[in-house]
Structure formats: C-alpha cells, structure tokens
C-alpha cells in the first residue's frame, strides 16, 4: 500500500528466489518530495504478506538492498511493517514494526484461540464449549483438541475423538467435553480417560498449535460408555434395585471392625447426599485374588502397587442403554490406614485417611470420573495425612452424584430386562446419619416390588413351599409400622401390604421363619 502517491511509485512485488521477494520503494517521476529533509521516521509503504501454509517456526527477514555495498550512504528505510496478525480479516490488521535487518518470528501464523465459553462445564453429560479464533481450517481434517487428563492430574492429555466434535469452521469450533477418550500415558495408549481442568490446546492440520490463554474448569465428570452415553446405574435384579456391597472378612475385621465402620458411614453420607439406594450386605470370605463379574459388589484387600484403592466397573449395554451393573472396590493391602468415623481427627504422617479414600471410591461406584482439583474428593490422588471428607460442599460429588441419580431414575433410562433393574433413590434423603441399612446374615431369597412403591407392596419368598412367616415393616429409625404373620401354602406365594397411608421415605421389610432363617430388604416410598 502506497502512503503518498505524489512522492512514491506504487510498489510491485517481484520474485527474487524461492524464499524471497523484492518490493521496490522508489520516488515518482518529477517527485515533489526531493527537497524535504526528514528528521523523523515517515510511513510511506505497508507490506502485507499472507502465508497460508506457514508453520510457527517460520521467520521473516527484512533487508534494505538500496545501497548494500556503500556503508557511507545510510538507508532511508528504518522501519518495516512485516505481517498481519489476522490475514483472513479484510477489515482489521495489526502490523509489527521491525527495525531494518531485524528477523522476527511469525507468532500468529496458524491457529489462534481468541476466546472460549462457557469457562466452567461438566464432563460426560454433553456439556459443550464454543472456541473462537482464526485459522482453524474450514474442515477439521487431522486437527485435534487436547485437554488435560484427569486420571493423572494433567500430566498427560486426552484427545477428543470424532463423536466429541459438533462443528468446525475456520473461526469457530464447538465440541463436547468428554469423560471417555484416549490418552498417551507414559508412552502407552489408554482408553476411558476423562478430561480435566486446565488450559487446552488445538493442533491444526498445518502443524500449528494454539493454546487457550486461560483454563477450562470441569467441576464434575460422569462416566461414559464408548458411545459417549452416560452409564446408568442398573445392578443385578437379585439386588432388588439396590447396590449391595459386601466386605471381605479381612476388611470387616481390620482394626477390630474400624474399617467396616468407616465404610458404613461413607455409604450413609452418600445416601444422605443423593438418596442413592445402596446397602451394606453380610460379610463374605472372598476367595478371588482379583475382582470378578460374579453378581457380588465386593470390598476387599489386594496389592495394587501404584494405587491406594481401585473401583472396577462392569458395563453392559441392555438393550441400547449402557449400564454399570456391578462394581468391586479393591483396597491396597500394603499401606497403613487410618480408620476413624468422627471426622475430627487426622491421620498421622505415615497413614492414609481411609474415610477420604472410600468416599472417593464410592464416588466411582456412583458413576463419577476423576477431576483435577486437589481440594475435591474426586481428584485422582491423595497424600498421607491429608483429608477430604465433606461431600456436601464438594461439587465433584454433590453436583455430579445428584446429576447421576436424576439421569438413572429418569423413566427414559430405566432398565428392567437382561437380568438388570435400574437403581432407585429416595427423593428425600435421610440426613440424620443414624446408620445405613445392613442386611441380616441369615438371608432368605425374598423379593419385593415395586421399589419405589406407592399404595401397595408385593412380597415373595422363594424356595419355601409351606411355612409360617413373620413380616415386619419398620421405618429407617427402627420403629415398627406394621407386623403380621402369614401362612404360605406354596413356593413363591405373594404377600400384599397396603401402604397408601405411609409418608414418603425409607422403610425396611423384615421376614423371619422358624426353619429358614430371616432376611431384610430396604424399600423407598415415593411422594
């Protein structure tokens, strides 16, 4: 662009070599500017160069060739305008002034992020972010978005796959925030990795890299199946729409029962937070060395080497809704554990706080993924003498756990086939912390439905042909609401209870027999 056509001719760019061009700055014929003595720099020429295939490492060298061999004649060129930051925008240019013979990197060559929103999202629930900028490319091609990996605190990154991208243009990208994607962790490809908080970046097909100027915050993350659908909680039908955890006897007896007491309190606190229907079942001697898909949600010891505890999830798609059908919690047997239910004491230097760790693992059992925030329970790691115990004021658990309950109990996500049944939840969670319901050790094969119930409950006792049974209905505080004796005349005969007069809440059905022992079930009355 010629600044003053009365003084200077219009410049015409000419190829010089494969990597350089001449741009002539010369006076016009009969120029009226010859007698002027310039004492300050004057702008007379702007040079704009668009390099659509450049890479971030490119440099531009501006050289005055007017009198290159006569040092006594100084250059009349002192400043150059080297390039445009936004070459694709015809209405706005920012120019960089380079001193004669300077070399400058092309910092804005390639993709550039100018803004993104929202800045706070959740992972795995189809929350999306919109990224604004330039030179992303009109088609995504091999371009990728990388986010911090929540499973290692952001040491590695996860890259979004094809199902995560909603739209892609040269100046705007829209994508979902994932909780099931790939990552390269210590040189090994890992699947099922969750995105975490932090600055993210875009690698473009042309090799350029753009990094967000400020971090994306992910408050909570929900486990996804590979189709990017959240995993509904749908345990085996034999669990009666509850998740029944059972302690291995070594866990139950650890520190004279102190570890089991912490487990019971943690279950209670989660029930208080979200109303989730889970139970602490009778202890068993678990013989397997590793978790198994065996209809038992076990809590047991094993050597984990590089982890304090691990929750193993078993998934099933039935028929189209992916579900978490069973979860086993392994506790590292090589560490020293501090077991306390008072929430007032802290572990010593060499101990890990078991209450903090089991709250975290139950979060996974609740369907939650890791996040990156060292103050939150669902952060991927915890150190010795560190506690994270307050579920109620922890977004990674409170917001995430309640979202999962709403999703799982939505009629559109209910599962009642394939040997599964969607878990139920209490709409008014019992927050008096009086104790999680614990199954009796002498278990009968009993079933009760529907759960949650309304005006009636049907109870069936299997494997008993003729027997007198005693049925008792209590509230969560143990107060007897109903008691009656029944004489069963055939196997699987049903007993019916009128329950229309009961308030919404949690109730316990207890069945006792003379020769077959007893058993109990937890039931929920909806509003």
């Amino acid at each position: 662009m010629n600044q003053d056509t009365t003084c200077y001719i219009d410049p015409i760019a000419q190829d010089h070599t494969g990597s350089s061009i001449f741009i002539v700055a010369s006076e016009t014929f009969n120029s009226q500017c010859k007698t002027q003595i310039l004492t300050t720099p004057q702008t007379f020429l702007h040079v704009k160069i668009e390099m659509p295939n450049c890479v971030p490492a490119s440099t531009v060298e501006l050289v005055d060739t007017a009198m290159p061999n006569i040092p006594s004649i100084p250059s009349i060129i002192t400043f150059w305008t080297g390039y445009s930051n936004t070459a694709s925008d015809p209405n706005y240019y920012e120019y960089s002034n380079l001193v004669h013979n300077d070399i400058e990197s092309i910092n804005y060559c390639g993709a550039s992020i100018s803004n993104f929103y929202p800045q706070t999202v959740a992972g795995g629930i189809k929350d999306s972010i919109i990224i604004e900028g330039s030179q992303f490319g009109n088609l995504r091609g091999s371009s990728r978005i990388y986010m911090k990996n929540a499973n290692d605190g952001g040491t590695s990154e996860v890259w979004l796959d094809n199902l995560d991208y909603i739209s892609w243009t040269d100046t705007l990208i829209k994508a979902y925030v994932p909780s099931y994607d790939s990552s390269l962790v210590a040189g090994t490809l890992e699947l099922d990795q969750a995105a975490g908080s932090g600055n993210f970046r875009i690698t473009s097909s042309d090799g350029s890299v753009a990094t967000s100027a400020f971090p994306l915050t992910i408050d909570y993350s929900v486990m996804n199946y590979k189709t990017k659908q959240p995993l509904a909680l749908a345990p085996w039908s034999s669990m009666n729409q509850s998740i029944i955890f059972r302690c291995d006897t070594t866990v139950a007896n650890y520190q004279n029962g102190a570890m089991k007491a912490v487990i019971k309190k943690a279950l209670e606190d989660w029930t208080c937070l979200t109303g989730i229907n889970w139970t602490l079942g009778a202890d068993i001697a678990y013989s397997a060395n590793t978790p198994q898909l065996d209809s038992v949600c076990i809590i047991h010891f094993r050597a984990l080497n590089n982890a304090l505890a691990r929750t193993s999830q078993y998934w099933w798609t039935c028929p189209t809704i992916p579900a978490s059908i069973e979860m086993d919690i392994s506790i590292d047997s090589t560490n020293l554990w501090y077991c306390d239910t008072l929430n007032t004491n802290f572990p010593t230097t060499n101990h890990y706080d078991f209450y903090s760790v089991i709250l975290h693992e139950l979060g996974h059992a609740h369907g939650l993924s890791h996040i990156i925030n060292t103050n939150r329970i669902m952060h991927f790691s915890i150190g010795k003498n560190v506690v994270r115990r307050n579920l109620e004021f922890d977004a990674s658990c409170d917001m995430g756990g309640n979202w999962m309950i709403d999703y799982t109990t939505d009629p559109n996500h209910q599962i009642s086939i394939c040997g599964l049944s969607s878990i139920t939840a209490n709409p008014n969670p019992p927050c008096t912390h009086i104790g999680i319901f614990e199954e009796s050790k002498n278990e009968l094969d009993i079933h009760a439905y529907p759960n949650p119930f309304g005006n009636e409950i049907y109870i069936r006792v299997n494997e008993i042909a003729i027997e007198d049974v005693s049925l008792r209905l209590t509230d969560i505080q143990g107060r007897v609401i109903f008691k009656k004796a029944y004489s069963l005349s055939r196997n699987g005969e049903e007993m019916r209870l009128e329950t229309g007069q009961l308030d919404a809440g949690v109730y316990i059905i207890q069945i006792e027999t003379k020769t077959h022992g007893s058993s109990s079930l937890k039931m929920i009355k909806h509003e």
Side-chain angles (χ1 to χ4, degrees), residues 465-519:
I466 301 175
E467 180 76 84
D468 291 333
V469 302
S470 174
L471 185 150
R472 183 168 59 179
L473 181 71
T474 68
D475 62 18
I476 194 66
Q477 295 176 319
R479 294 174 297 202
V480 177
I481 307 299
F482 176 88
K483 185 176 181 180
K484 185 177 180 180
Y486 290 87
S487 294
L488 303 181
S489 58
R490 66 181 186 277
N491 183 22
E493 181 178 353
E494 290 185 339
M495 297 167 279
R496 179 176 176 272
L497 291 183
E498 294 282 350
T499 54
Q501 76 282 5
L502 298 180
D503 295 330
V506 179
Y507 295 87
I508 309 299
I509 292 176
Q510 297 174 309
I511 301 289
E512 295 182 2
T513 69
K514 292 182 178 180
T515 60
H516 291 80
S518 63
S519 193

Side-chain angles (χ1 to χ4, degrees), residues 51-59 105-110 205-209:
M51 290 167 282
N53 297 317
C54 60
V55 296
S58 294
T59 59
S105 297
I106 306 177
N107 299 318
Y108 293 91
C109 179
S205 300
D206 64 6
S208 62
V209 179

Side-chain angles (χ1 to χ4, degrees), residues 92 107 118 132 165 172 176 236 290 296 331-332 414 448 467:
Y92 177 73
N107 299 318
E132 297 176 340
Y165 295 103
L172 189 143
Y176 295 121
W236 300 105
T290 57
V296 177
I331 304 164
D332 184 52
Q414 294 286 293
E467 180 76 84

Side-chain angles (χ1 to χ4, degrees), residues 223-243:
M223 289 183 182
N224 277 181
Y225 189 58
K226 58 186 177 182
T227 58
K228 304 308 174 81
Q229 292 176 272
L231 289 166
L233 302 178
W236 300 105
S237 296
S238 59
M239 295 188 187
N240 197 39
Q241 296 183 282
S242 171
I243 297 175

Side-chain angles (χ1 to χ4, degrees), residues 267-283:
L267 288 167
E268 175 186 276
D269 285 346
W270 269 105
T271 301
C272 175
L273 185 73
T274 68
I276 188 170
N277 183 10
W278 49 25
T279 296
L280 185 57
D283 304 335

